[in-house]
Amino acid sequence: MSELAPVGEGFVLADVDPSSTPGFTGDKDAAGAELQATALTLGALQERLYAESKFGGQRRVLLVLQAMDTAGKGGIIRHVVGGVDPQGVHIHAFKAPTDEEKAHDFLWRVRRELPEPGIIGVFDRSHYEDVLIHRVRGFSAPEVIEQRYGLIREFEREIVDDATTLIKVMLHISPEEQKARLAERLERADKHWKFNPGDIDERERWHDYMAAYQIALERTSTPDAPWYVIPADSKWYARWAVQRLLLDALRRLDPQWPEADYDVAEQQRRLAAS
């Protein structure tokens, strides 16, 4: 993944080609084969992380997915995260805040969904909605949004210090590819349920959203909580890339099977005699 670098100083979102495939030289079939083969390794690492937590381990992983509509967040969840044991995964999709959530600070509902030890958490959208759509739509005053960047950095530093490995991904789709995917949803009866007329309204503000993403990426990509911008015009590549980020994170954690807190030999004798 040497070519898939985190967002750093001087990063320009407009320079990222949504149709590119950095770090991968194969085609769709090769990526699919690797995705399937690597799922076994990913599942094994996740199981060890989960087992570790049953004996006092505190480590956990949080994958944050942000994107424009149709960029493929659902496919990432199904084809990447879906390859591990469901009991070790917590997925939450952040929708428009409820009245109860609006009565608290913007991070309140996010804290409630953080993964427990041993769990891979996945946020389908996240606290970044409060600096993206709020900036574009003017839902909050500019000075409030500016304050939120600092609050987000503090919040993410806090959860990283609390044994959370944080992986933040922006799936970067082109407006042309989004148009094609929206058209497909309208053409196919089995995809009508996925279409939202509001998607076209948001699409008309594309440049405003890209500007909001640029600012958010600059302000909140840190060494301990970096952003990764994944080209997403090719669904197969985006899935491969996110799986690789997740796999690399778990390999760095290198969870181990916990040692038994009982005498194994004694229990084997008891079992043989039963």
Side-chain angles (χ1 to χ4, degrees):
M1 292 299 291
S2 59
E3 294 183 45
L4 191 59
V7 170
E9 186 176 355
F11 175 83
V12 178
L13 179 59
D15 291 344
V16 179
D17 179 0
S19 67
S20 63
T21 59
F24 192 76
T25 57
D27 59 11
K28 179 179 180 179
D29 290 341
E34 188 170 327
L35 189 76
Q36 185 174 4
T38 305
L40 298 174
T41 303
L42 191 65
L45 287 165
Q46 181 272 331
E47 185 178 9
R48 278 156 47 182
L49 183 69
Y50 185 78
E52 178 185 274
S53 73
K54 297 304 176 183
F55 286 76
Q58 294 298 304
R59 300 187 296 178
R60 75 289 304 268
V61 175
L62 176 59
L63 172 63
V64 172
L65 298 174
Q66 282 290 153
M68 297 294 286
D69 295 308
T70 78
K73 299 188 304 301
I76 297 293
I77 292 171
R78 287 191 301 276
H79 296 281
V80 177
V81 183
V84 304
D85 191 331
Q87 72 175 337
V89 177
H90 174 68
I91 300 169
H92 186 78
F94 286 94
K95 307 297 185 182
T98 64
D99 289 340
E100 180 186 16
E101 290 168 344
K102 289 178 181 178
H104 297 81
D105 72 271
F106 78 104
L107 290 171
W108 179 79
R109 66 174 184 161
V110 178
R111 293 182 184 277
R112 289 161 56 92
E113 301 298 337
L114 289 172
E116 297 293 327
I119 300 296
I120 296 176
V122 183
F123 284 175
D124 180 347
R125 301 190 188 277
S126 66
H127 43 296
Y128 283 95
E129 293 296 286
D130 291 273
V131 294
L132 293 169
I133 190 170
H134 279 241
R135 189 179 193 97
V136 172
R137 288 291 190 174
F139 292 160
S140 296
E143 59 270 21
V144 171
I145 294 172
E146 286 299 319
Q147 182 185 43
R148 284 178 180 169
Y149 297 121
L151 293 172
I152 287 172
R153 289 195 300 271
E154 291 175 9
F155 165 67
E156 292 179 348
R157 183 167 56 247
E158 173 191 328
I159 65 174
V160 168
D161 288 345
D162 192 32
T164 300
T165 295
L166 183 55
I167 307 167
K168 300 186 298 187
V169 171
M170 178 204 176
L171 299 173
H172 187 36
I173 189 174
S174 67
E176 295 79 14
E177 178 63 20
Q178 190 204 47
K179 187 174 185 177
R181 293 183 189 182
L182 288 173
E184 183 185 22
R185 290 181 179 183
L186 288 170
E187 291 166 0
R188 292 177 49 178
D190 63 327
K191 289 185 177 288
H192 286 173
W193 67 275
K194 298 181 72 173
F195 182 82
N196 181 347
D199 293 345
I200 298 178
D201 297 330
E202 298 306 296
R203 177 178 166 77
E204 292 175 347
R205 298 172 179 261
W206 191 276
H207 294 296
D208 293 335
Y209 272 106
M210 293 303 101
Y213 267 108
Q214 175 70 41
I215 295 170
L217 294 168
E218 288 177 353
R219 304 282 182 85
T220 62
S221 190
T222 65
D224 290 331
W227 272 106
Y228 289 87
V229 174
I230 305 298
D233 275 9
S234 297
K235 294 178 181 179
W236 58 266
Y237 170 76
R239 293 166 186 171
W240 175 88
V242 174
Q243 186 196 60
R244 183 62 52 177
L245 289 173
L246 193 55
L247 182 64
D248 288 349
L250 284 168
R251 281 174 168 162
R252 286 194 298 272
L253 289 175
D254 191 25
Q256 300 298 311
W257 295 115
E259 294 185 8
D261 58 357
Y262 51 83
D263 188 324
V264 176
E266 179 185 355
Q267 299 309 312
Q268 288 174 327
R269 288 192 295 271
R270 290 184 63 214
L271 178 60
S274 66

